[in-house]
Amino acid sequence: MAREFDVAVIGGGPGGYMAAERAAEGGLSAVVIEEKAMGGTCLNEGCVPTKTLLYSAKLYRHASESEAFGVHAEAVSFDHARVMKRKAKVVKTLVAGVEYTMKNLSVPIIRERGVIRGRQDGRFLIGAGDEEILCSKLILAAGSETAIPPLPGIKEGLESGFVVTSREILQSETLPQELVVIGGGVIGLEMACYYASVGSHVTVIEMLPKIAGTTDKEICDLLMKEYKKRGMVFKLGCRVLEITGHSVLFEEAGEQREIACDRVLLSVGRAPATGGLGLENLGIEMNRRAIAVNEYLETSVPGVYAVGDCNGKLMLAHTAYREAEAAVHHILGIDDPVRYETVPAVIYTDPEVASVGETKESAESKGLSVREIKLPLRFSGRYLAETERGEGFLKLVVEEGTRKVLGCHIIGPYASEIIVSAVMMIDLELTAGRMERIVFPHPTVGEVLREAVFRI
Ligand code: NAI
């Protein structure tokens, strides 16, 4: 006998658990079907474990460089295995927190793989192990998986453990001596930052002429400069040709080169995890591997929604949260589309990088006439108090004529926290005059944003 719910959610990551949470809060009966641990990639093998590691790396670096601040720390050493144990504890606590929230809201978790079987009595029929679920609305939140490019030697490398993805590297208790990172995007840079900070020699091979995708070019240049100081090597505009049992072969300016290493991290993007979900049983339209959705996250089948990485829009946990809310609101009859243009992005490297909205380049490519207001973070007393020789800066991208702030880009400490103020300014479409009247606490690094506002 099938169990009946208003809403069934397939996937227990940020998109899935938030959808179930908001549905239950909205008075709907909900169920989550998750075959692995609750929390998905974000909690178990992505955002949270990475940030735990990066915080230890930052502490280590600060301790090693504390002399200038009048702190003598002798024989500072780093215990990667201990860091990994702490990471496991943090993950366990957060996963338990999500499970507790579900229990508190009377949302059952079915620990099986959910597969769409079709329709029955005007509802959707889902199989989950031996169980069957009937639901009026279905929210797909199946996440994503590492993209594996068809490179010679990659399959063998993954099998032997010489090549790893973010999942395996976040489980490894040993530090590689020589790490090659293929792909200078967000995952590659965050992991490269950790390993280079704690003693590994790291080379990043990126096929484009710059790291960090569409991130502001000046910020990328400063990030690379900081990394190079820590011994990291960048091979930009280079194509990987082959992975052997002990090295990576790549092409640099028409020449074939080889780097011997003891581990290779593959971080060339992620792809929606949509295989084996039974999407074809409802005839759900796809956009290559991604589930096609409209502005309310509804698929081509009315009543079926897709939120988070599986719709391939913006693969960020905080986007998944917001999409989950928008989907549930649509179910509840509330008009609440997601504004993707004000979703912030953060690279949790040290220094941190945070951005929202347009860069000068992206704005100009849309035919907009903009100017940049760039201020060094040294304008902040707190930045000077806490940073030695820091070159961090903040940029506002402002539309000429209208004086509207279209983007904000920051590199430096607290960037990930400061960006929220800029998101609000842009999302609420505050005028320069209105922004000037907002009081920032002093001394904070965020005050630089206030200072920039006076130059609009
Ligand atoms: P990405 O798309 O950010 O970067 C992949 C990079 O690999 C690109 O720069 C691309 O040019 C390069 N690349 C592709 N094929 C290559 C090849 N054969 N050789 C050399 N370079 C190659 O993807 P990434 O870093 O794997 O992250 C995946 C997803 O996870 C992203 O959507 C990202 O937003 C998300 N994520 C977000 C984080 C955050 O918000 N802090 C942290 C980690 C991941």
Side-chain angles (χ1 to χ4, degrees):
M1 186 71 174
R3 288 164 76 183
E4 297 178 23
F5 294 89
D6 295 326
V7 179
V9 182
I10 298 185
Y17 70 72
M18 183 58 80
E21 198 176 325
R22 294 290 183 252
E25 285 165 355
L28 302 169
S29 62
V31 61
V32 174
I33 308 166
E34 167 59 67
E35 60 180 331
K36 292 191 247 159
M38 284 299 283
T41 304
C42 167
L43 252 62
N44 296 285
E45 50 195 50
C47 320
V48 171
T50 319
K51 265 80 267 179
T52 313
L53 263 58
L54 284 166
Y55 184 67
S56 288
K58 187 155 84 176
L59 278 183
Y60 178 55
R61 196 170 73 81
H62 284 190
S64 312
E65 297 172 3
S66 61
E67 200 67 28
F69 294 85
V71 179
H72 305 290
E74 277 164 29
V76 180
S77 63
F78 194 84
D79 184 346
H80 175 69
R82 178 115 186 241
V83 172
M84 296 304 274
K85 281 199 182 74
R86 179 168 179 275
K87 178 217 75 173
K89 196 177 75 184
V90 172
V91 170
K92 200 172 153 205
T93 307
L94 282 164
V95 170
V98 172
E99 287 172 352
Y100 177 77
T101 306
M102 294 299 111
K103 199 170 167 210
N104 224 11
L105 289 166
S106 303
V107 175
I109 302 168
I110 301 180
R111 311 252 175 205
E112 295 284 353
R113 181 161 182 77
V115 181
I116 301 168
R117 298 227 171 116
R119 292 177 199 264
Q120 190 177 300
D121 308 329
R123 283 174 291 177
F124 303 113
L125 181 66
I126 316 297
D130 294 336
E131 288 204 60
E132 283 194 325
I133 308 288
L134 269 179
C135 58
S136 312
K137 308 285 179 189
L138 172 62
I139 301 182
L140 303 167
S144 61
E145 55 206 10
T146 303
I148 310 288
L151 285 170
I154 210 148
K155 193 168 160 280
E156 296 77 359
L158 284 165
E159 276 165 12
S160 73
F162 175 58
V163 179
V164 291
T165 71
S166 52
R167 172 182 290 167
E168 295 84 41
I169 205 164
L170 284 167
Q171 300 299 337
S172 170
E173 298 230 335
T174 57
L175 285 178
Q177 275 191 347
E178 189 72 47
L179 172 70
V180 170
V181 174
I182 304 181
V186 203
I187 294 182
L189 291 173
E190 289 187 352
M191 294 316 303
C193 176
Y194 175 74
Y195 283 97
S197 302
V198 304
S200 300
H201 184 256
V202 181
T203 305
V204 176
I205 305 179
E206 165 60 55
M207 68 179 182
L208 297 177
K210 79 183 265 291
I211 57 165
T214 53
T215 307
D216 178 88
K217 172 81 170 58
E218 256 186 293
I219 285 186
C220 295
D221 290 346
L222 179 55
L223 195 58
M224 278 211 298
K225 188 174 155 190
E226 292 290 330
Y227 276 175
K228 282 179 186 169
K229 282 188 207 159
R230 283 173 234 172
M232 211 189 283
V233 174
F234 289 91
K235 297 288 179 190
L236 302 184
C238 291
R239 200 163 60 90
V240 175
L241 302 170
E242 186 183 341
I243 296 171
T244 73
H246 59 276
S247 68
V248 177
L249 300 178
F250 63 101
E251 195 181 274
E252 185 175 29
E255 304 270 323
Q256 184 173 316
R257 307 227 186 270
E258 180 171 17
I259 303 179
C261 54
D262 50 336
R263 200 173 299 163
V264 177
L265 170 67
L266 188 65
S267 48
V268 296
R270 294 180 64 86
T274 47
L277 276 178
L279 298 168
E280 61 288 350
N281 295 332
L282 286 178
I284 294 173
E285 259 174 43
M286 304 295 288
N287 202 345
R288 297 170 66 144
R289 280 181 68 179
I291 302 171
V293 289
N294 65 15
E295 62 196 305
Y296 300 107
L297 290 314
E298 197 170 28
T299 66
S300 58
V301 176
V304 180
Y305 297 77
V307 303
D309 290 8
C310 69
N311 68 31
K313 279 172 167 274
L314 262 186
M315 292 192 178
L316 298 167
H318 47 274
T319 315
Y321 284 149
R322 183 66 197 106
E323 289 180 340
E325 290 167 351
V328 171
H329 280 161
H330 194 251
I331 291 170
L332 293 170
I334 304 166
D335 185 39
D336 177 32
V338 179
R339 271 189 81 181
Y340 289 95
E341 63 277 19
T342 51
V343 173
V346 175
I347 312 177
Y348 294 84
T349 44
D350 178 16
E352 281 183 8
V353 171
S355 59
V356 60
E358 307 287 351
T359 58
K360 187 165 185 285
E361 246 182 9
S362 70
E364 285 174 353
S365 73
K366 291 175 184 162
L368 297 166
S369 171
V370 294
R371 72 192 156 88
E372 281 182 337
I373 296 165
K374 181 183 163 192
L375 290 185
L377 296 186
R378 296 174 71 80
F379 270 45
S380 150
R382 185 172 188 196
Y383 182 75
L384 279 184
E386 296 185 0
T387 316
E388 280 288 304
R389 297 186 302 274
E391 293 178 58
F393 61 85
L394 176 146
K395 260 184 192 183
L396 286 184
V397 177
V398 179
E399 188 175 24
E400 297 279 17
T402 64
R403 296 169 72 222
K404 258 173 80 174
V405 178
L406 301 182
C408 179
H409 309 273
I410 315 170
I411 179 165
Y414 311 110
S416 54
E417 309 286 344
I418 298 167
I419 202 70
V420 185
S421 309
V423 171
M424 288 190 192
M425 287 175 176
I426 301 173
D427 198 74
L428 298 173
E429 297 179 23
L430 300 182
T431 61
R434 181 65 194 87
M435 285 189 267
E436 284 171 8
R437 303 207 306 275
I438 296 172
V439 181
F440 281 57
H442 174 78
T444 54
V445 180
E447 279 176 293
V448 178
L449 175 58
R450 184 165 199 274
E451 203 53 47
V453 163
F454 278 84
R455 287 162 171 76
I456 291 175

